[in-house]
Amino acid sequence: MANKKDYYEVLGLKKGASDDEIKKAFRQQAKKYHPDLNPDNPDAEKNFKEVNEANEVLSDPQKRQKYDAYGHAGVDPSYGGGGAGGFGGFSGFGGGAQDINIDLGDIFDNLFGGGGSSRRNASAKEQQGADISVKLEVSFMDACKGVNREIEINRHEPCDTCKGSGAKPGTNPVTCSECSGSGRVRYQQRTLFGISQSIAPCQRCGGKGKLVESPCTACSGHGRIQKKVKIPVTVPAGIDDGQILCVRGEGHTGAGGGSRGDLNAHIVIRNDTVFKRDGFDIYCEIPLTYSQAALGAEIEVPTIDGSVTLTIPEGTQPDTVFRLRGKGIQRLRREGRGDAKVSVSIEVPKNLTKHQKDLLKKLDEAMTDKNFAKRENFFEKIKKFKKWTSSN
């Protein structure tokens, strides 16, 4: 007994702590060390008893006054004397379990963010409605420019007949006698460590606090019905394939008059026959004739805003990419646009007539290696290779 810890230290407090601080510290420490919450901690029972003992003294004004004046000797006559008698409402420390009355329901509510009995009762009666997920298919151009659409869905709506109460018109739900309308009941259980208390939804009323004795025939007492509705949505410019468009508060109505969930539209963008997309840039490929690539030309190329004129310089090679700044897709919910990128290919003519073939042969005969940079460079490499092999 002579090695007892200071009660303020056990609760993590300083001397002079307020009653609210003591209460808060006790709840925190009780949650931390309760044996039911710490089955793998062999010291949990011992620490929990110390916490409960410290709280019994410091939460009692008279015991606390004696403790502050005389320490453990002021509240425990056996302290320092080796006796085994009880003190201050505790009996048989080290000899047997006594009734330690802890409300585990309150402890768990603090642990998981509960806000007191009134909040728990409200959450038991009113439930957040579920979200609805749908697939929304849009065209490539609609995704680039934005579009207004309507989505048809089936969702839970308040019953028109009973206005969501679940009771037959002319009747009203009655207060549940099991939970007195709170939607929750308190359970006590005696364990090896004392009496534990917990709070759970009332089984008789399902946590609603009310009982419907004469159910509405339209909704069978549920207070909600399935209804087909059309929801207008705005698809913003720049949205991409696979993104989710969330429409707040357009999901299912919650049970017991709870708020609606959300409508989540999963965007699917149809492929375009002309354009491809990379982020906020768009790509298209334009075939050039042999003459256009060799002599240069001005051609019309498509963009999402319409056709524009593109100047093809003389001697343009295959796979050359021309960039049109700011002609791409609007950046989603911010300023600026991507670019349009035009890749050119050279189409080799087919189905030539004899006259056309003769003209091409004359043209080819008139050409030299200087007209073909890649060809000239390639044959220079061949010459060097032959020279190297002959010398070795």
Side-chain angles (χ1 to χ4, degrees):
M1 297 291 286
N3 294 325
K4 270 191 177 182
K5 293 182 181 178
D6 178 77
Y7 287 149
Y8 289 101
E9 180 183 344
V10 170
L11 296 181
L13 298 169
K14 293 182 179 179
K15 194 171 183 179
S18 67
D19 292 341
D20 287 341
E21 289 174 332
I22 292 172
K23 182 178 180 180
K24 182 178 179 181
F26 168 64
R27 294 168 76 83
Q28 291 175 342
Q29 296 299 317
K31 178 178 65 179
K32 181 178 179 181
Y33 292 118
H34 196 285
D36 290 349
L37 304 178
N38 298 272
D40 298 327
N41 184 357
D43 296 325
E45 180 182 355
K46 174 186 174 184
N47 293 332
F48 181 69
K49 288 181 178 180
E50 288 180 346
V51 167
N52 199 67
E53 179 181 342
N55 179 67
E56 286 288 337
V57 172
L58 298 184
S59 62
D60 186 310
Q62 294 182 351
K63 292 179 183 178
R64 182 180 180 184
Q65 185 178 14
K66 292 179 181 180
Y67 178 75
D68 289 345
Y70 305 108
H72 290 293
V75 293
D76 184 4
S78 66
Y79 181 78
F87 91 94
F90 290 89
S91 61
F93 268 94
Q98 74 281 0
D99 289 348
I100 302 175
N101 197 338
I102 301 297
D103 191 336
L104 289 180
D106 288 342
I107 291 176
F108 280 119
D109 283 337
N110 285 336
L111 179 62
F112 296 109
S117 60
S118 61
R119 180 173 174 176
R120 292 196 304 272
N121 293 342
S123 64
K125 299 174 187 177
E126 299 179 5
Q127 299 176 12
Q128 171 75 35
D131 294 343
I132 298 175
S133 293
V134 297
K135 182 176 74 172
L136 179 59
E137 188 174 288
V138 296
S139 69
F140 182 90
M141 292 301 295
D142 284 343
C144 293
K145 296 288 193 175
V147 67
N148 292 323
R149 294 282 294 275
E150 277 190 338
I151 301 177
E152 187 173 77
I153 57 174
N154 285 312
R155 72 180 182 188
H156 291 142
E157 294 277 319
C159 176
D160 296 327
T161 303
C162 65
K163 309 304 180 186
S165 71
K168 185 177 180 180
T171 67
N172 292 304
V174 298
T175 300
C176 175
S177 58
E178 185 74 18
C179 62
S180 300
S182 68
R184 299 251 177 182
V185 292
R186 185 184 299 268
Y187 298 97
Q188 287 190 349
Q189 184 179 9
R190 183 178 293 276
T191 69
L192 292 174
F193 310 108
I195 296 176
S196 66
Q197 297 187 34
S198 60
I199 296 177
C202 176
Q203 294 183 356
R204 187 180 183 205
C205 66
K208 298 178 181 178
K210 298 284 186 179
L211 291 172
V212 177
E213 295 181 333
S214 300
C216 170
T217 56
C219 64
S220 301
H222 297 297
R224 298 181 297 169
I225 57 173
Q226 284 274 6
K227 184 179 290 187
K228 184 176 291 186
V229 295
K230 291 183 178 180
I231 307 299
V233 298
T234 298
V235 179
I239 200 163
D240 206 350
D241 189 77
Q243 291 184 316
I244 298 175
L245 179 62
C246 180
V247 187
R248 301 292 183 188
E250 292 294 352
H252 291 296
T253 296
S259 59
R260 289 189 183 278
D262 299 328
L263 171 61
N264 296 314
H266 296 254
I267 301 298
V268 177
I269 299 177
R270 294 192 295 271
N271 291 330
D272 191 81
T273 57
V274 175
F275 299 109
K276 292 183 179 180
R277 175 174 178 169
D278 181 17
F280 296 105
D281 294 338
I282 60 170
Y283 286 82
C284 71
E285 183 178 301
I286 303 295
L288 298 180
T289 68
Y290 178 83
S291 298
Q292 286 175 321
L295 302 177
E298 286 191 346
I299 62 173
E300 294 294 314
V301 296
T303 72
I304 59 176
D305 298 316
S307 296
V308 298
T309 301
L310 177 64
T311 299
I312 303 297
E314 180 181 320
T316 293
Q317 299 300 307
D319 299 324
T320 299
V321 177
F322 297 92
R323 183 188 294 267
L324 304 177
R325 300 282 183 183
K327 291 296 185 179
I329 300 171
Q330 171 67 46
R331 298 186 185 278
L332 188 61
R333 296 190 178 93
R334 57 191 176 101
E335 295 182 357
R337 294 175 60 170
D339 301 328
K341 297 177 180 178
V342 180
S343 174
V344 297
S345 61
I346 311 299
E347 186 173 8
V348 178
K350 297 180 179 180
N351 304 315
L352 298 175
T353 66
K354 183 178 183 304
H355 177 65
Q356 291 169 335
K357 291 178 181 179
D358 291 339
L359 291 175
L360 281 177
K361 287 178 181 178
K362 290 181 181 180
L363 175 64
D364 190 57
E365 290 171 356
M367 297 287 185
T368 67
D369 288 346
K370 294 185 181 296
N371 296 118
F372 301 97
K374 290 183 179 180
R375 179 183 175 87
E376 181 182 27
N377 186 46
F378 175 77
F379 283 110
E380 282 295 325
K381 291 179 181 179
I382 293 296
K383 289 178 182 179
K384 291 180 181 179
F385 176 74
K386 288 180 176 180
K387 185 177 179 180
W388 179 83
T389 54
S390 62
S391 62
N392 291 280

